[in-house]
Amino acid sequence: MTQDFPDSPPPPAADLGYAGATPVAGGNLPELSVSDLSRALKRTVEETFGYVRVRGEVSQPKRVSSGHLYLRLKDDQAVIEAVCWKGTVMRLAVKPEDGMEVVCTGRLTTYPGRSQYQLIIETMELAGEGALLKMLEERKRRLAAEGLFDAQRKRPLPFLPRVIGVVTSPTGAVIRDILHRLADRFPRHVLLWPVAVQGEQAAAQVARAIQGFNAIAPGGPVPRPDLLIVARGGGSLEDLMPFNEEVVVRAAAASQIPLISAVGHETDTTLIDFASDRRAPTPTAAAEMAVPVRAELMAQVMECGRRLEGTANRLLAERRNRVEGLARGLGDPRALLEGCAQRLDDRGERLALSMTGLIRRHRTEVAKLGAGLRHPAQVLGLAYARLDIAQRGLSGGLTRLLADRATRAQTLAQRLTPQPLVRRAEEGGARLDDLGRRLDASFGRAVADGARRLEGQAKLLETLSYRGVLARGFALVTTADGHPVTKVADAPAGGRVRVEFIDGAVGATLDGEGAPAPVPTPAPPRESTPAPKPRAAARPSGQGSLF
């Protein structure tokens, strides 16, 4: 304690005014209760030490659920209990931490429940600048160990931010300097989050402002800043303490938006400078870091445009010279195209002639194949003749079979007794009648099936017959002995030929005039047509085949 009091004898008990004091027989001291003595001591302490300043080291600070703060102040020889009520805790300039040397101002009182005296703290401040710097150094070391100051986590600043968020006092000269500097260099949209930059509530307000800017959703009614500036003018170390608070440093380190700290003058250093992405010596310098100079950018763009135009002109000139040099080494395009056009015409003419010759050869082959086929009328006549023969043979066989069965039935009827034999003869006759009907039906179906197959073969034969070719306007030329004439070489001059049309045939004599038409390309040699197979000899009469 800084206040000393001389030793003096305690006042008489009667002067203390103890309530309920009664003299004891045979003694000079009054008899006191514990409560009376505690109240007398409390009154004496509070009246004697009504207001004191105590310097000591903070030990075991503890904040209970009610909001009150309990701690101890100690030095190398003594310890005193201290308490700070909830309303006072919120107004303290510093946050007490274990081992911090502070100077507390308040009043002494006693706590009768524990028979101890304690200090009621009303204000608290650090015990000198050296202790404050020691506390800041310890805090810096602890936060750096957590990685909040690492250079790897610092983000680059945007080249030209669209919106800039500023965290500072709305009434100071800092915001005017920033706006004036931004207007001179490159005007941008600025959002101001007003905060207190000094005092007990400054740290919490600055931290909430940084978190609030980061909580703005992109594309919402309020534009999200692309860059943040936390700024304050110069001041003493105590004035800049809000920017050394741990809550502010952690908010700056957790910001997703790039942040520039511009707190104090160039010689001032706070912990937010280490957690921010860029430190500016002054608020004006922060505005210069935030945006480039518009006039310089325009001049640079114009210079780049001129250089680009010159480079493009030189490149075009070089490419033009190169193309002209390559063109001199090439032939005349017209001559190249004329040769290609001539070859194309030649190929087209040869293709047309080849198609005509191919069609002529196929037509000749079809005619030759058609001449070797029988006329459908002849095939149908032969088929009908075989069908008649088969029908007569089948009818005669059925008649003989029925007569034979009847004869056998009569013979059996004569040999057996009359009654059973008659029944068996009747049953046999019924079965014979049924078999006859079934045989007639089967024969009819067989004849119908044969007729349908014969009709289908006749249609197929008529489709493949050369008569269809004659119906389209062609004629079949044969020699006197019936061989078809398919080439000019096979028609000797002066010879007799037979010309068959669709409706008949006429005789003609070749006069030998004319010559074979020239063929553009020689036709490929054709394989010799095999001689037609001899027809099978007619089968003998009987069941035979339908064809």
Side-chain angles (χ1 to χ4, degrees), residues 469-490:
V469 180
L470 297 180
R472 293 197 296 269
F474 296 91
L476 176 61
V477 181
T478 57
T479 59
D481 52 359
H483 292 287
V485 179
T486 60
K487 299 180 182 178
V488 177
D490 296 339

Side-chain angles (χ1 to χ4, degrees), residues 197-275:
V197 294
Q198 184 175 344
E200 301 167 354
Q201 303 297 327
Q205 292 183 14
V206 171
R208 286 196 297 268
I210 297 175
Q211 296 169 358
F213 273 131
N214 282 270
I216 297 177
V222 178
R224 178 184 173 90
D226 301 321
L227 180 66
L228 296 182
I229 298 177
V230 179
R232 186 201 187 282
S236 63
L237 182 60
E238 289 77 9
D239 295 338
L240 302 180
M241 275 303 296
F243 299 93
N244 290 316
E245 294 295 336
E246 184 174 345
V247 62
V248 175
V249 176
R250 292 188 180 277
S255 175
Q256 298 297 324
I257 303 174
L259 186 143
I260 299 177
S261 63
V263 179
H265 297 303
E266 187 171 359
T267 57
D268 298 327
T269 302
T270 56
L271 295 183
I272 193 177
D273 296 336
F274 299 99

